């Protein structure tokens, strides 16, 4: 079989920020050159809102899995700021090379695995079941029309990737032309997370149209946090993350599917 042809990564820089592209103007990831281990893009910052919902004991000392590497912002933040072991899965070898060469991703080591592999196959592999305390999913092709993987089976596999109290975070577009894709993905995420204790939350779209869905697997069936509890947790999250706007997230979070 012929080898798959992947778009070649390209760069742009503006006002001290380096951007990753895949042959189109769409930004696939960004890094402020002076602060390479912090999260630059606002929607990626929002993908850290899972910390408001997941008790510390559920993820401290666990592993973070990222499906889709991009400019490695999530991987570096989880590794450096939150001190978690990380596994990043990326199909395009050029993206992995770019992340190491241009976006300050460390070389693999005891706490970092970078796999050039198919994310769907990784999620479906029974050997990976229960591996992730936190799972981030952000996979769009160079045209950014729809998630690369979005089937009901894929989201069910993602749930199996999670530990007994784990969180999946998914970036979804909600702008014009993406409404049907958004609704389809939210329905499939809710269908995958339909066991007792599970719940699905969302942060509404930001000004660029990124909606963040957060799905919790909770075999322990812990009580879901109230709005007041979310706001209480936000201060600790802000301190832990170097000032990310967690109080704003706490006010915006909406439960789509209550825990049963």
């Amino acid at each position: 079989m012929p080898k798959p042809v992947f778009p070649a990564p390209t760069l742009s820089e503006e006002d001290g920020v380096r951007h990753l592209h895949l042959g189109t103007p769409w930004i696939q990831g960004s890094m402020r050159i002076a602060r390479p281990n912090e999260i630059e893009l606002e929607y990626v910052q929002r993908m850290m809102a899972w910390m408001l919902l997941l008790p510390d004991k559920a993820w401290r000392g666990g592993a973070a899995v990222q499906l889709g590497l991009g400019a490695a912002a999530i991987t570096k933040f989880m590794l450096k700021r939150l001190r978690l072991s990380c596994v990043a899965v990326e199909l395009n070898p050029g993206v992995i090379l770019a992340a190491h060469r241009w976006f300050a991703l460390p070389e693999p080591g005891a706490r970092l695995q970078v796999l050039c592999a198919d994310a769907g196959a990784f999620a479906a592999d029974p050997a990976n079941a229960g591996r992730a305390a936190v799972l981030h999913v952000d996979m769009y092709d160079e045209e950014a029309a729809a998630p690369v993987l979005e089937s009901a089976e894929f989201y069910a596999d993602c749930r199996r990737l999670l530990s007994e109290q784990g969180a999946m975070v998914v970036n979804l577009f909600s702008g014009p032309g993406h409404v049907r894709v958004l609704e389809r993905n939210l329905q499939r995420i809710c269908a995958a997370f339909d066991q007792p204790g599970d719940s699905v939350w969302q942060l509404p779209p930001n000004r660029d149209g990124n909606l963040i869905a957060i799905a919790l697997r909770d075999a322990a069936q812990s009580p879901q946090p109230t709005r007041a509890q979310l706001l209480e947790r936000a201060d600790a999250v802000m301190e832990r993350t170097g000032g990310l706007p967690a109080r704003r997230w706490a006010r915006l979070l909406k439960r789509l599917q209550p825990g049963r």
Side-chain angles (χ1 to χ4, degrees), residues 47 49-50 53-54 132-137 155-156 158-159 162-172 185-186 188-194 197-203 212-218 224 253-257:
M47 294 183 79
W50 59 269
L53 299 168
L54 204 61
V134 185
L135 171 66
H136 287 94
V137 182
Y155 287 123
C158 285
R159 185 185 183 278
L162 297 179
S163 57
E164 289 193 350
Q165 278 187 290
M168 176 184 75
V169 188
V170 185
N171 172 43
L172 297 169
N185 277 267
L186 289 176
R188 290 173 178 173
I189 291 169
C190 286
F193 286 77
D194 67 346
D198 290 357
S199 60
V200 179
W201 302 67
Q202 74 169 36
L203 278 172
I212 305 304
I214 305 172
L216 304 181
R217 176 183 179 181
D218 188 0
Q224 297 297 317
L253 272 171
K254 175 185 176 183
R255 193 183 305 177
L256 294 183
Q257 180 170 307

Side-chain angles (χ1 to χ4, degrees), residues 223-242:
Q224 297 297 317
T226 64
R227 186 71 57 188
Q229 288 171 326
L230 291 175
L231 289 167
E232 285 179 8
R233 293 179 183 179
D235 291 335
V237 171
M238 290 176 67
E239 182 176 355
R240 182 178 294 135
T241 60

Side-chain angles (χ1 to χ4, degrees), residues 18-90:
R18 180 174 294 161
H19 304 293
L20 174 69
H21 308 268
L22 292 176
T24 73
W26 286 99
I27 292 174
Q28 301 286 340
S30 300
M31 177 188 75
R32 185 163 295 278
I33 297 169
R35 297 197 296 272
N37 294 323
E38 301 301 316
I39 299 175
E40 177 65 21
L41 295 179
E42 191 259 354
Y43 91 84
V44 183
Q45 293 180 2
R46 286 181 170 216
M47 294 183 79
M48 298 300 114
W50 59 269
M51 283 186 280
L52 295 171
L53 299 168
L54 204 61
D56 281 10
K57 63 182 180 181
W59 61 271
R60 289 282 194 181
V65 176
Q66 293 88 52
L67 303 183
L69 180 63
I74 290 175
T75 304
K76 290 183 296 180
F77 193 83
M78 303 295 278
L79 183 70
K80 299 286 189 177
R81 173 70 71 169
L82 300 187
R83 309 297 299 171
L84 292 176
S85 298
C86 293
V87 181
V89 184
E90 170 58 53

Side-chain angles (χ1 to χ4, degrees), residues 100-124:
H100 286 302
R101 180 176 293 174
W102 298 325
F103 293 93
L105 178 67
E107 291 300 317
R111 294 195 302 115
L112 174 63
Q113 277 187 284
V114 181
L115 305 178
C116 187
D118 180 89
F122 179 90

